[in-house]
Amino acid sequence: MERRNVRLVLAYDGTEFLGWERQAEGRTVQAVVEAALGELHGHPVGVVAAGRTDSGVHAAGQVISFSSDSPVPDDRFHHALNGLLPHDVRALRGGRVGDEFNARYSARARVYKYYLRAEEVECPTTRRYCWSLRKPPDLRRLISLSAAVVGTHDFTTFAASGDSSASKVRDVYSSVFYREGDALVFKIAGNAFLYRMVRSLVGTFVELETRGEGPEKLKELLARRDRDAAGPTAPARGLFLEKVLYDDETPA
Amino acid sequence: MERRNVRLVLAYDGTEFLGWERQAEGRTVQAVVEAALGELHGHPVGVVAAGRTDSGVHAAGQVISFSSDSPVPDDRFHHALNGLLPHDVRALRGGRVGDEFNARYSARARVYKYYLRAEEVECPTTRRYCWSLRKPPDLRRLISLSAAVVGTHDFTTFAASGDSSASKVRDVYSSVFYREGDALVFKIAGNAFLYRMVRSLVGTFVELETRGEGPEKLKELLARRDRDAAGPTAPARGLFLEKVLYDDETPA
């Protein structure tokens, strides 16, 4: 069978996963996807993902790539895989890409969304997918705080202790809050993100908003390059890997 | 301690419940709520609910009433109870009501919402709360089908075999489809509903829409008073008991 490089876009509910990356024990998205691909191919298949989402984090547009010798036609690949995946992971679309494509190293930008709700009592049918705040935050102040991280910065302040990146410098292309129905959404796009950086930013924005602090304070924390300067890390359940952007020659 | 009649509004995620009503075995919302109230009071407390939601059905505004001798102040009752309830059930608000109030028998109207999504692949982070359809239905046709049930009718066609009501006549005050974000919502208000009636209506609307049938066909099925004339029953996971309406003298 001819070998081809395949790209797939995945969505998953992270609640019952210990994150993307395969571990010695425990249910991970990578292990579940590789098991389904192994079943489809009749031999083990290893995949590469654009974002190694953490335990409890969801995805609306994770991207993976792998080499395949399956006879399944390109436009049916995601359907064939869905027949073998559990309901909390779905392949949305995908197909053949050039041999040089790698879901992780070819990615030009990642977009994350973080959902918050202000409500006196936590709503039981949205709690899996958002952070419930007791007091409604001031949206304009959150917008002005979030704008302060746009640009190229050393994000050491907002990296968790588990981050192993040599450089903590990242490019943030956009960072904004807006309303979506009953929810407040934080949306951030950047070339890449440090370990738990988005949740650390959200926790810090919310804390600074509560304390009445403005963007100068956020810039000061950023300049300190000190993990202890950040606010609390927002819960995993509000975070979604929304999409991954590649060069134009890559089919969307 | 003085005895008072208490009304509470509840929300719950029905996914991991065998419905509202207490059963010999299995997790039900009534059993969980009565266990928490029993703990709060130090003795068993029985509750009455406005709607006996079925296995897997959710609530955004279920209403219960019960007699209490607890010293907890009226405006703290829901918070005290939330400290004892699991995360998939929350008391939203409530307090003291007149002795004549009964959540079930005083109810003047129930409002249900049913959520649908049209998507090629079922989204894993909305699937607990909606019915995923492969083909986008025509909204205008659904609206015209749903309008055909407004009024006082014998709804035998849309009652499941388990319905034990003596009369199958119900008053439907409003019945409509509309868009809400990415979802299609069916909203229906009536004095009361037969067992699985809302899900039977939704399943029939969707089937008739797919077959290109109009409101005349719906009226014909209704007139037959024959359960076998209805379409398939829509899945429980899309259905929410949205709210219950009482006479004006009852605090909301």
Side-chain angles (χ1 to χ4, degrees):
Chain A
M1 196 61 59
E2 192 201 2
R3 195 158 265 288
R4 61 194 158 153
N5 198 20
V6 175
R7 169 195 161 154
L8 290 178
V9 180
L10 303 183
Y12 46 84
D13 178 338
T15 313
E16 286 158 33
F17 288 106
L18 295 177
W20 166 262
E21 202 161 37
R22 182 185 281 280
Q23 297 183 17
E25 278 185 59
R27 187 170 185 256
T28 69
V29 186
Q30 183 179 15
V32 158
V33 169
E34 289 182 346
L37 283 171
E39 205 175 327
L40 190 65
H41 288 78
H43 59 77
V45 175
V47 309
V48 169
R52 285 164 300 166
T53 55
D54 206 3
S55 183
V57 174
H58 316 290
Q62 169 75 286
V63 178
I64 62 169
S65 61
F66 54 91
S67 174
S68 171
D69 59 2
S70 158
V72 173
D74 274 3
D75 60 346
R76 304 297 306 163
F77 215 106
H78 62 295
H79 288 300
L81 192 60
N82 285 336
L84 301 166
L85 284 170
H87 285 295
D88 50 359
V89 189
R90 293 286 97 179
L92 301 181
R93 57 187 176 276
R96 182 170 195 156
V97 283
D99 287 342
E100 72 297 345
F101 181 85
N102 176 294
R104 182 171 177 197
Y105 296 107
S106 307
R108 292 286 165 259
R110 279 97 177 159
V111 181
Y112 281 89
K113 274 173 136 184
Y114 194 99
Y115 291 81
L116 305 108
R117 280 170 64 99
E119 50 199 1
E120 198 206 340
V121 176
E122 183 182 75
C123 171
T125 53
T126 54
R127 74 178 295 276
R128 283 166 79 96
Y129 311 111
C130 75
W131 184 20
S132 180
L133 303 176
R134 290 297 82 79
K135 263 183 62 184
D138 183 297
L139 179 58
R140 281 169 309 173
R141 199 178 298 145
L142 286 175
I143 291 171
S144 106
L145 282 162
S146 64
V149 300
V150 174
T152 302
H153 303 283
D154 181 319
F155 282 97
T156 300
T157 300
F158 302 100
S161 57
D163 189 87
S164 57
S165 326
S167 162
K168 311 291 190 202
V169 175
R170 294 293 182 273
D171 303 328
V172 170
Y173 306 129
S174 70
S175 169
V176 71
F177 277 88
Y178 57 93
R179 275 190 210 290
E180 193 177 295
D182 290 340
L184 272 183
V185 181
F186 170 60
K187 187 172 176 181
I188 189 166
N191 63 338
F193 294 92
L194 303 174
Y195 187 53
R196 294 203 177 153
M197 173 173 153
V198 181
R199 290 162 58 195
S200 177
L201 284 171
V202 172
T204 306
F205 294 148
V206 168
E207 184 175 81
L208 294 184
E209 191 283 331
T210 306
R211 289 207 257 125
E213 303 274 10
E216 320 70 40
K217 183 69 182 175
L218 199 283
K219 284 175 185 160
E220 185 203 314
L221 299 181
L222 194 57
R224 275 203 236 162
R225 302 182 193 183
D226 172 8
R227 288 203 302 109
D228 297 331
T233 301
R237 63 180 179 277
L239 186 60
F240 283 71
L241 172 52
E242 184 64 18
K243 61 180 166 182
V244 184
L245 304 173
Y246 295 90
D247 283 344
D248 288 352
E249 55 274 18
T250 306
Chain B
M1 197 61 59
E2 193 200 0
R3 197 158 262 290
R4 62 194 159 153
N5 198 20
V6 174
R7 168 194 164 155
L8 289 179
V9 179
L10 302 183
Y12 45 84
D13 179 337
T15 312
E16 286 157 33
F17 288 106
L18 296 176
W20 166 263
E21 203 160 37
R22 183 185 279 282
Q23 297 183 17
E25 278 183 61
R27 188 173 185 252
T28 69
V29 187
Q30 183 179 17
V32 157
V33 169
E34 289 183 346
L37 284 170
E39 205 175 326
L40 191 65
H41 288 78
H43 59 77
V45 174
V47 307
V48 169
R52 284 164 301 167
T53 54
D54 206 3
S55 184
V57 174
H58 316 289
Q62 169 73 287
V63 178
I64 62 169
S65 60
F66 53 93
S67 175
S68 170
D69 58 2
S70 157
V72 173
D74 275 3
D75 61 345
R76 303 299 304 167
F77 215 105
H78 62 295
H79 289 300
L81 192 59
N82 285 335
L84 302 166
L85 284 170
H87 285 295
D88 51 357
V89 190
R90 294 285 97 179
L92 301 181
R93 56 188 177 274
R96 185 170 194 158
V97 283
D99 287 345
E100 72 295 345
F101 180 85
N102 176 295
R104 181 171 178 196
Y105 296 108
S106 307
R108 292 286 163 261
R110 278 98 177 157
V111 181
Y112 281 89
K113 276 173 135 181
Y114 194 97
Y115 290 82
L116 305 108
R117 280 168 66 98
E119 49 199 1
E120 199 206 338
V121 176
E122 183 182 74
C123 171
T125 53
T126 53
R127 72 177 298 273
R128 284 166 77 96
Y129 311 111
C130 73
W131 183 19
S132 179
L133 304 176
R134 288 299 82 78
K135 263 185 59 184
D138 183 297
L139 180 58
R140 282 168 310 172
R141 199 179 295 144
L142 285 176
I143 291 171
S144 106
L145 283 162
S146 64
V149 300
V150 173
T152 301
H153 304 284
D154 181 317
F155 282 96
T156 301
T157 300
F158 301 100
S161 57
D163 189 86
S164 57
S165 326
S167 163
K168 310 290 191 205
V169 176
R170 295 292 182 273
D171 303 328
V172 170
Y173 306 129
S174 70
S175 168
V176 71
F177 276 88
Y178 57 93
R179 274 190 211 290
E180 192 177 295
D182 290 339
L184 271 184
V185 181
F186 170 60
K187 187 173 175 180
I188 188 167
N191 62 337
F193 294 92
L194 303 173
Y195 186 52
R196 294 201 178 156
M197 173 173 154
V198 181
R199 290 163 56 194
S200 177
L201 285 171
V202 172
T204 306
F205 294 148
V206 168
E207 184 174 81
L208 294 185
E209 191 282 331
T210 305
R211 289 207 259 124
E213 303 272 10
E216 321 70 42
K217 185 67 183 177
L218 200 282
K219 284 176 183 157
E220 184 203 315
L221 300 180
L222 194 56
R224 275 203 235 161
R225 301 184 193 180
D226 172 7
R227 287 202 302 108
D228 297 330
T233 302
R237 62 180 180 277
L239 186 59
F240 283 71
L241 172 52
E242 183 66 15
K243 60 180 168 183
V244 186
L245 304 173
Y246 295 90
D247 284 343
D248 288 351
E249 55 274 18
T250 306

